[in-house]
Amino acid sequence: MKKDIHPEYRDVVFTDTSNGFKFITRSTIEAKDTITMEDGNTYPLVKLEVTSESHPFYTGKNVLLDTAGRVEKFNRRFKKKSDNKTEKEA
């Protein structure tokens, strides 16, 4: 590899701002903040809004949407357009 052209690959702490979950992994991401972890070392800190600890897909807490209302609304709109086409064709 050529020297001085690759970003620094180092340990970084990612934290979930919604629940405080933290994990350490290696990354090249640039971080402005730092944090001292339980092991006594200081790491760059990256704040995330959603991680696997807070995303509904991974936690099993899926939010049910009002899909029936959406479907009915779509059908009403679509029916009006299709009715207008049949009247013009006749």
Side-chain angles (χ1 to χ4, degrees), residues 17-42:
T17 57
S18 64
N19 62 7
F21 176 71
K22 297 177 186 138
F23 61 94
I24 299 173
T25 188
R26 296 186 55 84
S27 177
T28 60
I29 192 167
E30 294 295 323
K32 296 177 184 174
D33 299 329
T34 60
I35 187 170
T36 303
M37 293 297 286
E38 293 83 22
D39 61 2
N41 294 328
T42 301

Side-chain angles (χ1 to χ4, degrees), residues 57-81:
F57 178 80
Y58 296 105
T59 60
K61 298 178 182 177
N62 289 334
V63 178
L64 297 175
L65 300 174
D66 180 25
T67 55
R70 290 185 187 185
V71 171
E72 290 171 10
K73 186 176 179 181
F74 173 81
N75 286 336
R76 278 184 278 162
R77 266 197 248 157
F78 183 72
K79 183 178 179 186
K80 288 180 183 178
K81 290 181 181 179

